[in-house]
Amino acid sequence: MKLMSKQDSIYNAKLAEQAGLYEDMAKFMKEAVLSGEELTSEERSLFNLACKNLISTKHIPWRVISATEQKEKAKNSKFSPLLRTYRTVIENEVENISNDVNELIDKYLLPKANTVAVSYTHLRAHETSLHLVCRLLLEKKKKKQNTKK
């Protein structure tokens, strides 16, 4: 399967964002990354936004399911195990998204960065006893090393 050009991928990602199609936006930004070309500052921002929006589409349902699970658990409901399973499915999806983003950054974006300081924000999903925290947490930078003259 041939990937579309970086320019076409960026155009489609912007269009998908305007339409609220965040999974498509992330898919197009992944294709832009896999094009092998370095992303501009604007394109890096679009990449970060695609990742953030995609995580957000999972975070809201996770909160609803978690709150419902706690209520059902307090009532010793027969639905509590079902809700726990569903919550776990959502958490696994978030983890897969995070792993995919981190792989794109580490394997494709940072090694190709030619500018003096390039930063990409990693997505991390952290579970506490009450919340699944989906945040942009870790910033990685690649700096050109000063060569001895």
Side-chain angles (χ1 to χ4, degrees), residues 123-136:
L123 291 170
R124 294 283 188 226
H126 296 277
E127 182 181 355
T128 67
S129 59
L130 298 175
H131 302 287
L132 175 67
V133 182
C134 304
R135 293 188 202 165
L136 302 170

Side-chain angles (χ1 to χ4, degrees), residues 81-93:
L82 174 67
L83 290 163
R84 183 178 339 101
T85 300
Y86 197 23
R87 177 182 46 83
T88 303
V89 167
I90 295 170
E91 290 171 353
N92 289 337
E93 289 174 358

